Amino acid sequence: MANKTFPEGFLWGAASSATQTEGAAEAGGKAKNIWDYWFEIEPERFYQGVGPAVASDYYHRYKQDIQRMKDINMNSFRTSLSWARLMPDGEHVSHDAVTFYNSMIDEMLAQGIKPIMNLYHFDMPLHLQQMDGWENRAVVDQFQQYAQTAFDLFGDRVKLWTTFNEPIVPVEMGYVNDYHYPCVFDMKRAVVVAYQSMLASAKAIQAYRSSNQDGEIGIILNLTPSYPRSDSEEDVRAAHIADLFFNRSFLDPSVLGHYPEDLIDLLRTHQMLPAVHEDDAALLRENTVDFLGVNYYQPRRIKQKETPIADEASIMPEHFFDPYIWPERRMNPYRGWEIYEKGLYDIAINLKENYGNIPWYVAENGMGVADEERFMDGSGMIQDDYRIEFYEEHLKWLHQAIEEGANCFGYHVWTFIDNWSWLNGYKNRYGFYRVDLDTQDRLLKKSGLWFKDVARNNGL
Ligand code: BG6
């Protein structure tokens, strides 16, 4: 019997994505996405020269893996469809892809695991990136068709859909930094990418609603509570701008159906407003989400801009604030992210108070650790007590928020089995199961056993 019980029907599970797990990068006529391509042309940009071609070989091992989900009492699992696999030429559907995804979904349902299916997780098909990706409205329309195709094919069994995972990340990493392809440094183009991926999300929701599907559709956002260094007007203003850029740029249009006025003003002041079509506002207003997925790893600490601006002429987000290093922070040194469990509570209360208490779930929360074999005991089980502690502390704050009325319906960790990471290959491991990269064997970690109990007891 748990001391901290979660609401009835609470979803306990894990998240992953197609490119990070499936492997089989060319199987069944799958087309290249930007990750396959970038690895081909610049393998040295990838941690230890490891690209996504094999990943965790989920494409071939999904049946046994779904059994493993069941073994630890997961009742739900989120992954994504690979757009480049499902529609390699952007027009026709791949028979092999449909067979694979059908079989995966059926297997999950047979094991009592509710699928949450995401449509886009950083993996633009190459041929669409060659048309400028989200900068091109034709790609937005193609996304709507892809979404429609996915709903037609799988919507009879998948009842929870999400349009995007962390749509701010390709903007931040690929258009104002060079960590994701196409490695562009241009804030104006970044704004277009953000705006048009938001339109793509709304168009997918529009397609879902107009095809009389009987499930729900949402979006998954990485919310990073933006804490100012002090109460000074300058620090508070700087943190507010960071919040506008990194949280509210997708949160407000997704949930409220419009952008924050002060974000629009800020972009207007710096001549960075994107081209807007007459019916965009109605599209956004009429196609808000049914629910939110929230990925939470770390907060954002901000102080007023104190360092010199490198290039006055080209505006970047960092022109408006500096990161602040809180002296009391605790770090995950392997990933370089602050661990701050209360952030999850603050997100929950913000959604309750400012976003109509929309239904939401924790769609990712996790701790990547390097060299985990250090913690392997004689039986081969990794004793990842640090991860258990990380989850427990977050769950305690989540539980408190739910007691105070937060409308949270699930908790998914990142991740189920160790998987390939965009920037770090297999350096940091997150899974309940360790993947042996030589043999692809999966080994249950102590955190998997812990989760099995938590899920069975519906609480801590
Ligand atoms: C999330 C992403 O931001 O964080 C995942 O949705 C990602 O795709 C996860 O893998 C962990 O981050 P990383 O960089 O350590 O792989």
Side-chain angles (χ1 to χ4, degrees), residues 309-365:
I309 293 172
D311 176 5
E312 282 291 351
S314 87
I315 299 278
M316 287 287 166
E318 297 72 30
H319 277 56
F320 302 95
F321 47 79
D322 274 339
Y324 168 59
I325 298 184
W326 185 37
E328 291 165 51
R329 72 178 185 169
R330 281 184 303 127
M331 294 294 287
N332 169 356
Y334 313 101
R335 190 59 184 82
W337 286 346
E338 182 183 339
I339 299 175
Y340 185 65
E341 299 88 347
K342 180 174 175 283
L344 193 52
Y345 170 87
D346 291 339
I347 289 170
I349 300 305
N350 182 35
L351 295 178
K352 176 173 164 234
E353 291 179 352
N354 300 312
Y355 294 89
N357 210 12
I358 183 163
W360 66 284
Y361 82 110
V362 177
E364 286 181 30
N365 181 224

Side-chain angles (χ1 to χ4, degrees), residues 56-65 439-440 442:
S56 329
D57 198 30
Y58 179 68
Y59 186 82
H60 297 113
R61 295 167 194 261
Y62 64 95
K63 282 198 179 157
Q64 301 95 306
D65 282 343
T439 61
Q440 285 284 351
R442 280 80 158 121

Side-chain angles (χ1 to χ4, degrees), residues 417-453:
I417 49 175
D418 291 343
N419 63 24
W420 181 81
S421 157
W422 319 99
L423 303 181
N424 294 310
Y426 274 92
K427 172 177 163 285
N428 298 323
R429 306 300 188 95
Y430 285 85
F432 284 141
Y433 288 85
R434 177 171 179 82
V435 171
D436 179 323
L437 296 181
D438 296 327
T439 61
Q440 285 284 351
D441 285 348
R442 280 80 158 121
L443 295 170
L444 186 64
K445 300 179 195 175
K446 186 175 177 185
S447 59
L449 278 181
W450 166 86
F451 183 85
K452 184 176 182 178
D453 276 347

Side-chain angles (χ1 to χ4, degrees), residues 173-299:
M173 300 301 224
Y175 287 85
V176 288
N177 279 293
D178 71 344
Y179 299 121
H180 285 198
Y181 192 79
C183 308
V184 169
F185 288 91
D186 186 326
M187 176 91 172
K188 207 169 164 141
R189 287 175 66 185
V191 171
V192 174
V193 170
Y195 181 60
Q196 299 199 156
S197 44
M198 187 58 233
L199 294 179
S201 175
K203 284 203 170 206
I205 294 174
Q206 185 185 50
Y208 192 72
R209 301 248 164 84
S210 60
S211 57
N212 289 321
Q213 295 278 342
D214 60 352
E216 295 185 336
I217 185 158
I219 191 168
I220 297 168
L221 303 178
N222 50 319
L223 298 182
T224 45
S226 201
Y227 300 112
R229 168 182 58 181
S230 74
D231 292 342
S232 78
E233 204 180 304
E234 293 79 9
D235 284 346
V236 170
R237 166 96 189 128
H240 176 65
I241 293 177
D243 189 37
L244 289 174
F245 281 155
F246 295 112
N247 296 319
R248 296 185 58 191
S249 54
F250 283 95
L251 181 58
D252 283 34
S254 295
V255 179
L256 306 175
H258 56 80
Y259 284 92
E261 275 308 319
D262 35 2
L263 177 59
I264 297 173
D265 289 346
L266 188 72
L267 294 177
R268 185 182 294 116
T269 305
H270 294 280
Q271 286 100 45
M272 279 189 294
L273 281 179
V276 171
H277 291 193
E278 207 184 317
D279 44 6
D280 288 356
L283 175 78
L284 294 176
R285 192 174 57 245
E286 288 160 15
N287 295 288
T288 55
V289 293
D290 296 319
F291 70 93
L292 263 187
V294 174
N295 295 351
Y296 177 64
Y297 291 90
Q298 57 167 342

Side-chain angles (χ1 to χ4, degrees), residues 61-129:
R61 295 167 194 261
Y62 64 95
K63 282 198 179 157
Q64 301 95 306
D65 282 343
I66 291 168
Q67 178 62 51
R68 291 184 180 96
M69 295 176 198
K70 176 82 180 163
D71 291 345
I72 57 169
N73 293 329
M74 281 169 52
N75 62 16
S76 47
F77 179 61
R78 183 253 299 193
T79 189
S80 61
L81 300 175
S82 160
W83 190 354
R85 188 184 296 289
L86 189 64
M87 300 176 79
D89 64 0
E91 207 182 316
H92 302 97
V93 167
S94 150
H95 173 75
D96 285 22
V98 175
T99 306
F100 166 60
Y101 288 123
N102 267 337
S103 174
M104 177 181 91
I105 292 164
D106 290 346
E107 191 67 26
M108 285 170 66
L109 293 172
Q111 295 280 25
I113 292 164
K114 187 180 281 199
I116 301 181
M117 196 57 85
N118 179 41
L119 292 169
Y120 189 84
H121 196 126
F122 309 167
D123 54 351
M124 180 65 77
L126 178 61
H127 69 103
L128 297 178
Q129 188 61 46

Side-chain angles (χ1 to χ4, degrees), residues 353-423:
E353 291 179 352
N354 300 312
Y355 294 89
N357 210 12
I358 183 163
W360 66 284
Y361 82 110
V362 177
E364 286 181 30
N365 181 224
M367 187 182 182
V369 172
D371 306 320
E372 278 203 307
E373 57 282 3
R374 283 175 292 163
F375 305 109
M376 201 176 267
D377 69 9
S379 74
M381 179 177 277
I382 287 174
Q383 301 293 308
D384 52 346
D385 296 87
Y386 41 86
R387 182 168 290 114
I388 295 172
E389 188 188 327
F390 177 98
Y391 289 145
E392 279 183 347
E393 292 308 312
H394 283 87
L395 279 169
K396 282 179 194 162
W397 280 107
L398 181 63
H399 186 262
Q400 180 167 334
I402 293 172
E403 296 235 290
E404 292 175 27
N407 201 0
C408 177
F409 62 84
Y411 181 78
H412 277 195
V413 306
W414 188 269
T415 184
F416 159 58
I417 49 175
D418 291 343
N419 63 24
W420 181 81
S421 157
W422 319 99
L423 303 181

